[in-house]
Amino acid sequence: MTPRHKPYASSLAALIEGTQRPFLFLVTDFNYGTDGYDAEGNEEQKGSREGSETMPYIDESPTMSPQLSARSQDSVDGVSPTPTEVLLPGGESESDKGLLMRKLVLSGVLASEEIYINQLEALLLPMKPLKATATTSQPVLTMQQIDAIFYKIQDIYEIHKDFYDNLCPCVQQWDNKTTVGHLFQKLASQLGVYKAFVDNYKCALETAEKCSQCNVQFYKISEDLKVKGPKDSKEQPTSVTMEALLYKPIDRVTRSTLVLHDLLKHTPADHPDYPLLQDALRISQNFLSSINEDIDPRRTAVTTPKGETRQLVKDGFMVELSENSRKLRHLFLFTDLLLCAKLKKATVGKHQQYDCKWYIPLADLVFPSPEESEPIHQLHATPDHEIEEMKAKISVLKSEIQKEKKSNKGSSRAIERLKKKMHEYESWLLLYSPTIPFRIHNKNGKSYLFLLSSDYERSEWREVIQKLQKKDLQAFALSSVELQVLTGSCFKLRTVHNFPIISHKDDDESPGLYGFLHVIVHTAKGFDHSANLYCTLEVDSFGYFVNKAKTRVFRDTTEPEWNEEFEIELEGSQYLRILCYEKCYDKSKLNKDNNEIMDKIMGKGQIQLDPQSVQSKNWHVDVIEMNGIKVEFSMKFSSRDMSLKRTPSKKQTGVFGVKISVVTKRERSKVPYIVRQCVEEVEKRGIEEVGIYRISGVATDIQALKAAFDANNKDILMMLSDMDINAIAGTLKLYFRELPEPLLTDRLYLAFIEGIALSDPAAKENCMMHLLRSLPDPNLMTFLFLLQHLKRVSEKESINKMSLHNLATVFGPTLLRPSEVESKGHTNLASDIWSHDVMAQVQVLLYYMQHPPISFSELKRNTLYYSTDV
């Protein structure tokens, strides 16, 4: 419905001029709270939940629908208190550490409460002016409409303002005797007001929507409410929709138990707060259990014309391959059908709506077996170097946004411009990175092909559809009116509102971990029959999941014992997934969509990478349960800087950590023996291995090879021939990483970075060749030897999937890295894994790999023509 324009005033602010001056800024022409994309992948979104705060340790996957339920419904007794008398190194007790952690958790609560209060204030701001006009001859809204929309918001605001005002001095004047349990107990006892809000939530949304459609003044107000930033920050107020702010209390209350779990975890059992926090947690859990039954049906159900309830079971964004191009779609799985839609661009005065592309009744939906699939020819994977270059651009923009925010002159307009560009890049990445085929077939019609980034998602969608198909489903056809009504309900029913990308994250959300995660996959139990079993590890990166490691196949067993260690690079990661497979050797099971044999997933699971538990020096043991299967694993995290940190060489024996000149002189060789042997073995039997040098080798195997090379073991050749090829590749990478000085030397680092940035091709050629001549002979000979090897590996790219750019990405930051002094000179953000330096390091190696063959003798012959010092 098109809003009716009132002739008596241009805005609500004009109606009440003089009674509520601060309200004037509310009426603007911004159109927030809508997010969308068109069929050609030209996404243009503005998240419907801007300004959302995130409480500590919230388990919310970037690719899964958020669940409105307490994450931990276990009993209060299940929370482990901090031991009180265990002494830590340096004399600090575990109790002291726990009290410090309590303060850190409470500081996070305080910051989160301030954001929430600001959001409630922004929601309440138009209420008084609207009430003032309601009693005039030309009301914008009636009192009944106002009461329906703002029901219980004032009460919720006063409860949380009182909680904040009492908690703030406790945190600011913190000492070991400070108690806060009574505040949380009081807050929990007042949660009943949320019950009334939840009961009215649907009515509030519907009333606000109807009023927006009928009244242009209210539409402008509801689409542009201003939420101020934290009081000590210089951030400009952000624009948020009324719909998004009305969701905040729902979002808040459904997460109410999480902070109590964290506080109890770090509170000694004999502390006065402990029983009060236990009571608050019990109240919160009981309350949350009662309101979840009220929330879920209202958000996920639609009534058919026949009066039947059609429940939304799952929804999410997915890339469809259609008409030889990739299209970003939103898939909605209901209890009886699957609907594929795209979001239409918004028009002024109207809420956004979905456009149905197709639907399939679940009774007619089938998953074609590999032998039934028709081969396709239009599935062209995006070149890896384009994917990596886009990641680099995103990281550069992220750094620029952070600098703008820290700068006193940082304008909100400049930040918004950068965010818009980052959103464009991230949307491109989500569209062009997926490669795993997921085909759906209508037995009465055509097939549809989707591309996913993770086998986890493919399995998840398949499982939930097959579970629904076990019911007695009947085939049917929707009339055009029924389809229109159903598609129209999708906007309200959806649980996934935004693409899982950085530009949709709030500033207080965790940026994820950057560095290296060390994972040991120990054992798995719970299989009901013997099989050939292996596991893969996935982590999220740039909004989607990536397969990072794979164990060996443990043959014919029900209790595999892998005990394999992997080092996984993290790029803003928040989740680790483990998938357990049964290996298939039947070539008839070949998937024609990607020419790969499909192994059977036996189980899958994921955990959140909690920075506090992962970032300790000790291994953290955990278990993932999946379909009755339990996989035991250990993990620990190290930052990128620590992983690549080089230490001065004190060793004169062995080869790891010893200067390359010392090793070659001792061996009387031009290239170290370890480099020659590893390269030879990779070229003999690993050059066609998918992901060679990218897939992690088993850490224990790598350490065994390291020890053998260091000891000059006479059986080293036998070990190499028996060892997994990824372990040999990993040993070669480890050798270069542990050199006391990078292969291309500390002295020449800045010259390489400046040389690769030259624009003139001739000048760049002269400079880059001159720098090679400036290397010590052992370094130069080894570099040229490695260079030719990597070129030979890339020649098999069609098989091993390792392009020149992929290989440069793996080896560049290892062969070329700033010295400790230079690193301290410019401290970057932890998230700058794709900093300008790393990009340049990759580009340096890529330049030489793309260059025609470089001869050592030819380089040295030309030395006399260049006498200028570097």
Side-chain angles (χ1 to χ4, degrees):
M1 184 182 296
T2 304
R4 297 197 305 269
H5 292 264
K6 305 270 186 181
Y8 55 84
S10 60
S11 69
L12 176 62
L15 286 173
I16 55 172
E17 186 174 0
T19 62
Q20 194 75 14
R21 283 281 181 191
F23 186 67
L24 289 173
F25 74 89
L26 284 171
V27 185
T28 66
D29 292 324
F30 290 117
N31 179 23
Y32 281 81
T34 55
D35 52 313
Y37 54 90
D38 60 26
E40 286 67 47
N42 300 319
E43 300 79 19
E44 188 175 338
Q45 297 180 321
K46 296 183 178 106
S48 63
R49 298 185 186 177
E50 285 103 343
S52 173
E53 80 282 7
T54 303
M55 295 174 67
Y57 319 125
I58 290 170
D59 185 7
E60 190 168 87
S61 168
T63 59
M64 295 175 67
S65 304
Q67 300 298 316
L68 297 178
S69 59
R71 184 180 65 173
S72 301
Q73 293 294 341
D74 47 7
S75 67
V76 175
D77 296 334
V79 179
S80 302
T82 305
T84 56
E85 295 301 327
V86 180
L87 290 179
L88 300 172
E92 183 186 10
S93 71
E94 189 72 29
S95 176
D96 291 337
K97 182 180 178 183
L99 290 170
L100 175 61
M101 289 303 303
R102 290 179 73 235
K103 184 184 178 182
L104 293 175
V105 172
L106 288 170
S107 298
V109 173
L110 207 58
S112 181
E113 280 290 314
E114 183 181 2
I115 292 171
Y116 184 45
I117 289 169
N118 289 345
Q119 291 166 342
L120 293 174
E121 284 180 345
L123 187 57
L124 287 170
L125 189 58
M127 185 175 72
K128 289 182 180 179
L130 287 169
K131 284 186 174 181
T133 64
T135 57
T136 67
S137 60
Q138 295 177 321
V140 178
L141 300 182
T142 66
M143 284 299 298
Q144 185 179 3
Q145 290 170 329
I146 294 169
D147 290 339
I149 294 171
F150 298 94
Y151 187 67
K152 293 297 179 182
I153 299 295
Q154 184 69 45
D155 294 344
I156 292 172
Y157 170 80
E158 289 172 2
I159 288 170
H160 283 271
K161 186 70 167 62
D162 179 68
F163 174 73
Y164 177 88
D165 290 342
N166 286 295
L167 181 63
C168 192
C170 294
V171 177
Q172 291 175 344
Q173 302 167 21
W174 182 261
D175 61 43
N176 291 351
K177 297 181 181 179
T178 302
T179 58
V180 295
H182 60 291
L183 299 179
F184 284 91
Q185 188 183 44
K186 181 182 177 182
L187 181 65
S189 68
Q190 296 172 313
L191 286 176
V193 70
Y194 279 95
K195 172 67 173 171
F197 177 86
V198 169
D199 289 341
N200 182 69
Y201 178 61
K202 182 180 179 182
C203 176
L205 283 182
E206 289 178 349
T207 304
E209 183 176 5
K210 289 177 182 177
C211 292
S212 294
Q213 292 174 346
C214 298
N215 189 291
V216 70
Q217 285 93 349
F218 184 72
Y219 171 77
K220 290 181 178 180
I221 294 166
S222 65
E223 289 298 296
D224 188 31
L225 298 178
K226 300 290 185 181
V227 178
K228 63 185 179 183
K231 59 185 177 182
D232 294 328
S233 76
K234 298 180 181 179
E235 294 179 12
Q236 297 295 317
T238 55
S239 296
V240 187
T241 66
M242 183 174 287
E243 180 186 357
L245 289 179
L246 283 172
Y247 181 77
K248 296 302 174 184
I250 297 284
D251 189 47
R252 191 72 174 186
V253 74
T254 52
R255 302 176 176 190
S256 59
T257 62
L258 300 175
V259 70
L260 292 168
H261 273 284
D262 294 325
L263 278 174
L264 277 166
K265 181 179 178 182
H266 300 292
T267 301
D270 57 356
H271 193 282
D273 274 348
Y274 196 79
L276 298 177
L277 292 173
Q278 279 186 314
D279 189 49
L281 180 59
R282 177 186 57 78
I283 296 170
S284 298
Q285 286 180 332
N286 291 340
F287 173 75
L288 196 53
S289 297
S290 67
I291 69 164
N292 269 339
E293 296 173 4
D294 297 327
I295 294 174
D296 283 346
R298 293 187 177 194
R299 287 179 52 82
T300 62
V302 62
T303 304
T304 68
K306 296 179 181 179
E308 300 169 347
T309 299
R310 176 175 284 134
Q311 195 87 7
L312 177 65
V313 179
K314 181 178 175 63
D315 70 300
F317 292 101
M318 206 176 285
V319 175
E320 183 182 12
L321 198 62
S322 174
E323 298 174 353
N324 296 329
S325 62
R326 294 170 181 246
K327 309 289 179 69
L328 201 52
R329 305 297 195 209
H330 200 143
L331 223 56
F332 294 87
L333 176 62
F334 292 92
T335 43
D336 60 345
L337 66 85
L338 181 70
L339 185 146
C340 178
K342 77 165 186 176
L343 198 57
K344 296 189 289 189
K345 289 185 177 179
T347 55
V348 177
K350 290 187 177 181
H351 283 283
Q352 283 193 303
Q353 291 293 331
Y354 281 97
D355 178 28
C356 177
K357 304 306 295 182
W358 51 263
Y359 76 92
I360 307 177
L362 294 189
D364 294 330
L365 189 152
V366 293
F367 297 107
S369 62
E371 54 270 21
E372 294 172 339
S373 296
E374 291 294 327
I376 57 171
H377 304 288
Q378 67 267 36
L379 178 53
H380 298 297
T382 308
D384 289 318
H385 70 88
E386 291 185 18
I387 298 291
E388 300 302 334
E389 285 168 3
M390 190 58 73
K391 288 182 181 179
K393 290 178 180 179
I394 292 169
S395 293
V396 169
L397 281 174
K398 192 163 45 170
S399 300
E400 291 178 1
I401 290 170
Q402 293 298 328
K403 289 174 185 175
E404 280 287 341
K405 287 181 177 179
K406 291 182 179 180
S407 170
N408 293 329
K409 299 180 181 179
S411 67
S412 58
R413 183 175 295 179
I415 291 172
E416 286 304 314
R417 186 172 62 252
L418 290 169
K419 282 188 174 181
K420 185 176 181 180
K421 178 61 70 174
M422 187 165 77
H423 175 268
E424 178 186 323
Y425 289 165
E426 289 184 295
S427 299
W428 183 95
L429 195 61
L430 282 184
L431 193 62
Y432 289 99
S433 58
T435 58
I436 297 176
F438 177 50
R439 188 180 288 277
I440 294 169
H441 182 68
N442 185 339
K443 63 184 180 182
N444 297 320
K446 63 179 292 188
S447 291
Y448 303 94
L449 181 63
F450 292 94
L451 299 176
L452 306 179
S453 63
S454 163
D455 209 7
Y456 193 102
E457 272 97 37
R458 177 167 66 177
S459 172
E460 198 170 49
W461 278 94
R462 183 188 290 266
E463 286 173 7
V464 70
I465 290 172
Q466 289 175 334
K467 183 176 180 181
L468 291 171
Q469 288 178 323
K470 290 180 180 178
K471 300 175 182 177
D472 184 22
L473 298 173
Q474 302 295 321
F476 61 88
L478 296 176
S479 69
S480 58
V481 174
E482 288 175 324
L483 183 58
Q484 185 178 355
V485 170
L486 179 61
T487 307
S489 69
C490 288
F491 190 84
K492 283 185 181 180
L493 295 177
R494 61 185 181 161
T495 61
V496 180
H497 290 246
N498 296 318
F499 306 147
I501 55 181
I502 300 167
S503 52
H504 284 151
K505 285 189 176 182
D506 300 318
D507 291 339
D508 60 341
E509 286 191 62
S510 169
L513 293 172
Y514 290 82
F516 293 89
L517 184 69
H518 302 265
V519 181
I520 302 176
V521 183
H522 296 295
T523 61
K525 296 180 181 178
F527 298 98
D528 56 12
H529 66 275
S530 293
N532 303 316
L533 303 168
Y534 70 93
C535 285
T536 63
L537 308 180
E538 296 181 353
V539 294
D540 56 305
S541 170
F542 291 87
Y544 61 95
F545 279 82
V546 182
N547 185 1
K548 287 286 190 176
K550 174 183 174 181
T551 68
R552 68 183 185 275
V553 178
F554 214 95
R555 293 178 177 272
D556 195 24
T557 182
T558 56
E559 294 190 3
E561 297 181 3
W562 295 287
N563 293 315
E564 297 182 47
E565 182 182 340
F566 303 95
E567 181 184 77
I568 298 172
E569 187 174 11
L570 304 182
E571 300 171 290
S573 306
Q574 299 184 61
Y575 296 88
L576 168 69
R577 289 175 170 175
I578 297 183
L579 295 90
C580 194
Y581 291 86
E582 179 179 356
K583 182 67 178 175
C584 175
Y585 295 100
D586 184 357
K587 292 186 178 181
S588 67
K589 302 295 183 183
L590 190 74
N591 188 334
K592 295 176 183 177
D593 288 331
N594 59 358
N595 290 318
E596 293 181 5
I597 295 176
M598 289 185 65
D599 296 332
K600 180 182 178 182
I601 294 182
M602 304 296 287
K604 63 187 189 305
Q606 77 172 12
I607 62 162
Q608 186 171 10
L609 297 175
D610 179 358
Q612 290 188 339
S613 62
V614 174
Q615 288 183 328
S616 66
K617 293 182 179 179
N618 300 321
W619 287 95
H620 173 70
V621 183
D622 210 335
V623 173
I624 283 185
E625 295 193 29
M626 45 178 87
N627 301 343
I629 300 166
K630 294 182 179 180
V631 176
E632 182 181 316
F633 64 99
S634 303
M635 59 183 178
K636 65 178 180 179
F637 172 80
S638 60
S639 68
R640 185 177 178 85
D641 287 340
M642 289 302 295
S643 295
L644 293 177
K645 188 175 181 180
R646 300 175 189 274
T647 54
S649 177
K650 296 180 181 179
K651 289 176 60 181
Q652 292 301 314
T653 59
V655 293
F656 282 83
V658 180
K659 288 183 178 179
I660 198 166
S661 57
V662 173
V663 173
T664 53
K665 185 176 181 180
R666 184 204 311 145
E667 295 178 351
R668 297 180 182 178
S669 62
K670 295 178 180 179
V671 176
Y673 178 73
I674 181 175
V675 176
R676 288 181 281 123
Q677 290 306 128
C678 288
V679 163
E680 181 181 327
E681 198 65 32
V682 168
E683 294 193 1
K684 184 189 300 181
R685 58 187 180 89
I687 202 163
E688 295 187 352
E689 182 79 10
V690 174
I692 188 70
Y693 289 120
R694 180 177 57 81
I695 299 295
S696 301
V698 179
T700 47
D701 290 347
I702 293 172
Q703 291 302 316
L705 284 172
K706 175 184 176 181
F709 276 112
D710 268 341
N712 196 20
N713 193 315
K714 62 181 180 180
D715 296 327
I716 188 67
L717 293 179
M718 184 68 71
M719 288 182 66
L720 285 170
S721 63
D722 291 341
M723 198 68 74
D724 175 70
I725 199 63
N726 288 315
I728 295 170
T731 303
L732 182 62
K733 290 189 293 182
L734 183 66
Y735 169 74
F736 286 117
R737 187 186 302 170
E738 292 196 356
L739 284 174
E741 180 185 48
L743 188 64
L744 298 185
T745 73
D746 290 332
R747 181 176 67 90
L748 297 178
Y749 177 75
L750 287 177
F752 275 112
I753 300 301
E754 291 167 1
I756 198 64
L758 293 174
S759 301
D760 180 64
K764 181 184 288 188
E765 167 80 9
N766 287 337
C767 179
M768 299 302 281
M769 291 303 111
H770 177 53
L771 289 171
L772 285 187
R773 294 185 196 97
S774 304
L775 288 170
D777 283 0
N779 296 58
L780 177 56
M781 293 288 289
T782 303
F783 178 70
L784 294 178
F785 181 81
L786 178 65
L787 201 62
Q788 295 307 312
H789 165 63
L790 296 179
K791 285 184 178 183
R792 288 191 289 271
V793 172
S794 72
E795 289 170 1
K796 300 287 186 179
E797 179 187 354
S798 61
I799 303 172
N800 61 33
K801 311 299 183 187
M802 293 301 291
S803 63
L804 286 175
H805 194 281
N806 270 350
L807 293 165
T809 301
V810 171
F811 280 93
T814 301
L815 303 180
L816 188 68
R817 184 135 179 100
S819 63
E820 289 292 308
V821 175
E822 288 164 349
S823 295
K824 291 175 182 176
H826 56 288
T827 304
N828 292 330
L829 294 168
S831 60
D832 283 349
I833 196 167
W834 276 106
S835 64
H836 288 287
D837 271 7
V838 175
M839 290 167 58
Q841 292 156 16
V842 172
Q843 290 301 317
V844 168
L845 182 54
L846 188 60
Y847 177 85
Y848 290 122
M849 293 171 73
Q850 293 173 334
H851 196 280
I854 303 170
S855 163
F856 177 84
S857 58
E858 197 67 30
L859 277 173
K860 290 300 180 179
R861 191 178 302 125
N862 293 332
T863 301
L864 59 96
Y865 297 112
Y866 298 88
S867 57
T868 306
D869 289 337
V870 176

